[in-house]
Amino acid sequence: MLIAFEGIDGSGKTTISTRVHEELRRRGVKSYWTTEPTDGPIGGMIRDVLQGRMEVDHRTLALLFAADRVQHVIQLESLLEEGYTVISDRYLLSSLAYQGCDLPMDWVREINRWALMPDLVVYLDLDPVVALRRIKGKQLFHSLHKLKLIRTNYLNLIREEEWSSRTVMVDASKSEEEVFQTVLNIILKKLRVIL
Ligand code: TYD
């Protein structure tokens, strides 16, 4: 099963997804945690852009995210075949929600056509004002206006038929413990169905 954690910056994806991963392992589930952008060479280029060390056009950045994902998917496919439950901190919906702000959504979908659809998307929903308060460092996407647009994109996307059936929306304004328990229960329920 491929589980993607999604949400705007500051929504707590990394904290919650790593805790869930550790708890699944503790319970004997063969869980693998991964992230996008990846730590591969293309992910490295993406981080250079995000951290201002390299400047590229929006289209180039969208292609870099898509290319990074193609390489990631090859790796994910073998992990899934080996029976791992894979948890990805960000995945395809991040490109649609983020790059979809600057570029035609259909094109962003097209360049991501090779991405495997996730079995479950955990969308951590958070008010951008609260998210900004949580974010410490500054990065390319961290302006209130931008975060509002990204959240609107996420909310619209997860209403689409393709996504609504595989997405659960979780209120990320709750305490870390509450969010963690809610997400863990959702995933355990799903896994019991599959295992
Ligand atoms: P991430 O490593 O999740 O940043 P952080 O840990 O600071 O939340 O992601 C880096 C940034 O890349 C984040 O602002 C979202 C953006 N992003 C995209 O725009 N498109 C994508 O396809 C992905 C995977 C991430």
Side-chain angles (χ1 to χ4, degrees):
M1 183 155 104
L2 175 58
I3 305 170
F5 276 71
E6 295 283 359
I8 60 172
D9 301 88
S11 59
K13 295 171 308 302
T14 308
T15 310
I16 302 298
S17 64
T18 49
R19 281 193 65 184
V20 167
H21 162 67
E22 279 156 20
E23 181 59 23
L24 289 180
R25 284 180 66 150
R26 205 183 61 76
R27 291 172 183 242
V29 176
K30 233 173 125 181
S31 175
Y32 186 94
W33 183 90
T34 180
T35 183
E36 288 190 359
T38 68
D39 54 12
I42 303 167
M45 289 176 79
I46 292 171
R47 265 186 294 277
D48 283 344
V49 175
L50 297 180
Q51 289 158 16
R53 290 188 294 272
M54 187 169 103
E55 212 172 300
V56 296
D57 184 85
H58 286 310
R59 292 165 295 183
T60 309
L61 181 58
L63 289 164
L64 285 175
F65 277 119
D68 188 40
R69 188 162 298 120
V70 169
Q71 293 306 118
H72 198 202
V73 164
I74 292 168
Q75 189 198 351
L76 297 186
E77 277 170 341
S78 22
L79 286 162
L80 291 166
E81 245 169 65
E82 287 169 42
Y84 279 96
T85 292
V86 176
I87 295 180
S88 187
D89 180 354
R90 292 197 182 280
Y91 188 61
L92 171 59
L93 261 189
S94 282
S95 275
L96 303 183
Y98 282 74
Q99 278 62 59
C101 286
D102 310 304
L103 296 158
M105 190 65 86
D106 283 347
W107 181 71
V108 182
R109 286 186 210 271
E110 178 58 22
I111 59 172
N112 280 285
R113 71 190 290 181
W114 305 113
L116 200 66
M117 278 303 273
D119 300 291
L120 175 67
V121 176
V122 177
Y123 168 63
L124 299 180
D125 188 51
L126 189 64
D127 182 332
V129 175
V130 181
L132 264 190
R133 248 186 263 134
R134 287 187 186 172
I135 298 168
K136 290 171 201 112
K138 264 206 131 211
Q139 250 190 20
L140 181 63
F141 295 117
H142 299 168
S143 83
L144 184 60
H145 173 68
K146 185 86 191 209
L147 286 184
K148 282 184 178 167
L149 284 178
I150 297 162
R151 187 196 194 194
T152 303
N153 268 350
Y154 267 125
L155 292 173
N156 287 333
L157 285 158
I158 64 174
R159 272 189 218 112
E160 289 177 4
E161 206 185 319
E162 201 182 17
W163 292 100
S164 62
S165 56
R166 60 187 86 230
T167 304
V168 286
M169 179 155 83
V170 174
D171 178 0
S173 69
K174 298 270 166 59
S175 71
E176 179 186 323
E177 202 49 39
E178 260 178 284
V179 177
F180 167 66
Q181 287 299 338
T182 305
V183 173
L184 180 67
N185 287 337
I186 291 166
I187 290 175
L188 285 176
K189 225 189 251 172
K190 264 266 178 187
L191 281 174
R192 263 182 228 120
V193 173
I194 286 184
L195 289 176

